Amino acid sequence: MLRFLSTGSNLFQSFSYSPPVIKTLRVFTPATCSTIGLAEAKVEVQELGNESKDASEVLSKWGCNDDDLMRIFSRCPSLRNADATQVQSKLCLLSGLGIRASELVKIIICRPRFFRSRYNLEERLAYLMSLFESKEKLHKAIVRNPSLLVWDNRFDIEATLVLYEELGVNKSDLIQMLLLRPMIITRTSFDDEKLEYIGRIGLSKDSKMYKYVVTLIGISRVETIREKMANLARFGFSDDEIFGLFGRAPIVLTLSTDKVQRNMTFILGTMKLEAKIVLKYPYLLYANMDTVLKPRVLVAMKIQDMDYTFHIIGPTIVRALRMSEERFLNSFVKCHHEEMANELMEIYKRTKEVKRLAESSKKCITRGFPF
């Protein structure tokens, strides 16, 4: 039975194709309807246009082009022979959450196997709604992590919630982190060493940064944390300084050792700053080397060469690195006379266009989970 609830004037408002023809009725239980926010109970279901012959026709009506269909069927060949009414039914449930056609296509391409899963999608959405407590948050969570639609009993969401609550991260904060780091449910693990790291960082449970630190350590491998600490130690940082840095800027835990080495080498070698400046300005570690650090620093050095009275290298350049591009250009490039401004702009553009040596031929080595 096709399940498509009419929610007033037009449930397909966000989709570009024309709606199919009324064919049958489907009644949802009041509890399910009110929980997942699809419609009121006992509302007639409408079917669009003529009955679709197969799944590919249904998917085409929902916004998938030929390339999308090829990718979907390559990921899930059995979907070619799937019952068109069942495919349509699941798509209608997702559309009830306000998921737009473009988002729906991305979800299907990312996790096409949710069509062949035998679980009850209504019940799954109802449970997720009780977890996220609003249709808007559930919408965002599914778009960011379509695996929510296909998780099976191997991943105990409730147990993960309890684990984080015991560590001082309440449910509302964990939901925020789940939207930011969708892999929390599947990747979380804690042992004595991780708990020691959390304690040494020294943040109180009431701190705004605490939930970021705990969730990032929870989804990271112990070996990876050790490697990143050892990498920072090579530049003269003590363990206490490293843990303090993690507490002030937890995002440093997500940076690869290669990126940290590149940025630190540039800070020490080109900017001529002390290594420990990153303890005060962690942004220097995660700023993009090719589009922010190198172009702006080289422009600043050129300005000093052209006008010795203009002192920018030092704390001033650190503040300049945090500016938007427009503000930086207005403050340090366009403020000069036309000839000098044009020369500086040429240096800036040329530096941004330079790619890393052998970047195009760099092999991507998959090491599993990045943290």
Side-chain angles (χ1 to χ4, degrees):
M1 294 287 288
L2 286 176
R3 296 177 297 189
F4 183 67
L5 295 171
S6 174
T7 57
S9 59
N10 191 0
L11 185 59
F12 286 88
Q13 182 176 0
S14 58
F15 294 88
S16 57
Y17 59 88
S18 29
V21 180
I22 294 184
K23 180 179 181 185
T24 188
L25 295 174
R26 173 76 167 91
V27 178
F28 287 81
T29 64
T32 302
C33 290
S34 61
T35 301
I36 62 178
L38 293 179
E40 297 297 328
K42 299 182 179 179
V43 177
E44 292 186 355
V45 176
Q46 293 186 345
E47 181 191 353
L48 294 171
N50 298 325
E51 184 176 359
S52 300
K53 297 179 181 180
D54 53 30
S56 62
E57 188 174 340
V58 174
L59 293 172
S60 296
K61 289 179 180 179
W62 284 77
C64 296
N65 57 34
D66 292 341
D67 291 337
D68 295 334
L69 291 175
M70 184 178 299
R71 292 174 64 187
I72 291 170
F73 291 140
S74 66
R75 296 283 306 280
C76 185
S78 62
L79 187 56
R80 292 180 182 274
N81 301 320
D83 187 343
T85 59
Q86 293 182 4
V87 173
Q88 175 80 351
S89 175
K90 289 189 175 184
L91 291 175
C92 290
L93 285 173
L94 292 182
S95 72
L97 295 173
I99 294 175
R100 300 188 299 272
S102 59
E103 296 171 334
L104 188 60
V105 170
K106 292 179 181 178
I107 290 172
I108 295 171
I109 291 175
C110 182
R111 290 292 181 269
R113 63 189 177 93
F114 92 89
F115 282 114
R116 67 186 182 190
S117 300
R118 297 182 179 180
Y119 61 82
N120 188 313
L121 184 59
E122 292 176 53
E123 294 179 359
R124 172 62 60 87
L125 292 177
Y127 171 74
L128 292 174
M129 178 59 73
S130 68
L131 176 66
F132 288 94
E133 299 179 344
S134 78
K135 187 164 67 173
E136 292 72 21
K137 288 183 180 179
L138 179 56
H139 174 180
K140 184 176 180 180
I142 289 177
V143 172
R144 284 186 57 82
N145 184 18
S147 294
L148 284 168
L149 298 171
V150 296
W151 277 346
D152 53 30
N153 294 330
R154 291 178 300 164
F155 306 119
D156 192 336
I157 297 177
E158 291 296 334
T160 304
L161 292 173
V162 171
L163 181 60
Y164 277 104
E165 286 179 350
E166 291 176 349
L167 291 172
V169 181
N170 58 43
K171 181 180 177 181
S172 60
D173 286 341
L174 186 60
I175 294 302
Q176 293 179 11
M177 295 298 96
L178 187 57
L179 295 176
L180 183 63
R181 309 284 181 196
M183 67 292 294
I184 285 176
I185 301 298
T186 58
R187 298 289 184 176
T188 291
S189 67
F190 287 101
D191 57 18
D192 292 340
E193 187 170 352
K194 284 188 176 183
L195 295 177
E196 181 185 355
Y197 290 155
I198 294 173
R200 294 190 65 180
I201 288 175
L203 293 177
S204 70
K205 295 181 180 180
D206 297 328
S207 171
K208 293 182 179 179
M209 305 304 290
Y210 181 77
K211 57 181 178 289
Y212 296 97
V213 169
V214 173
T215 51
L216 281 173
I217 290 179
I219 62 178
S220 300
R221 297 189 180 100
V222 172
E223 297 79 5
T224 306
I225 299 175
R226 293 175 189 159
E227 180 182 346
K228 292 179 179 181
M229 291 184 62
N231 186 43
L232 288 168
R234 295 190 187 101
F235 295 98
F237 298 108
S238 66
D239 286 351
D240 290 340
E241 288 173 334
I242 293 172
F243 285 122
L245 177 62
F246 290 161
R248 285 190 295 274
I251 196 173
V252 174
L253 282 164
T254 70
L255 303 179
S256 68
T257 55
D258 178 64
K259 177 172 179 56
V260 171
Q261 286 178 352
R262 287 190 69 216
N263 283 30
M264 287 298 300
T265 301
F266 187 80
I267 292 167
L268 297 174
T270 303
M271 297 178 69
K272 307 298 182 182
L273 299 175
E274 295 182 357
K276 293 188 178 182
I277 194 172
V278 301
L279 299 177
K280 185 176 181 181
Y281 303 106
Y283 175 77
L284 291 170
L285 287 179
Y286 51 86
N288 188 287
M289 171 68 73
D290 300 318
T291 62
V292 178
L293 276 182
K294 186 180 293 184
R296 298 188 184 190
V297 170
L298 294 183
V299 165
M301 294 174 68
K302 183 63 177 178
I303 292 174
Q304 288 200 166
D305 289 342
M306 298 171 72
D307 183 358
Y308 67 90
T309 63
F310 199 91
H311 299 287
I312 184 173
I313 296 298
T316 304
I317 189 60
V318 176
R319 292 193 294 271
L321 294 174
R322 300 298 302 270
M323 296 178 180
S324 65
E325 183 175 48
E326 181 180 1
R327 183 183 174 190
F328 172 80
L329 294 177
N330 288 333
S331 301
F332 296 99
V333 177
K334 296 178 182 180
C335 60
H336 299 285
H337 59 79
E338 183 177 358
E339 183 179 351
M340 183 175 177
N342 291 337
E343 183 177 354
L344 293 173
M345 183 63 73
E346 179 63 26
I347 295 173
Y348 182 78
K349 290 181 178 179
R350 186 172 63 249
T351 307
K352 286 192 70 173
E353 292 172 356
V354 174
K355 303 299 181 183
R356 288 181 62 184
L357 185 62
E359 179 69 15
S360 59
S361 61
K362 181 180 178 181
K363 294 182 179 179
C364 181
I365 301 176
T366 302
R367 300 180 59 189
F369 193 64
F371 306 150

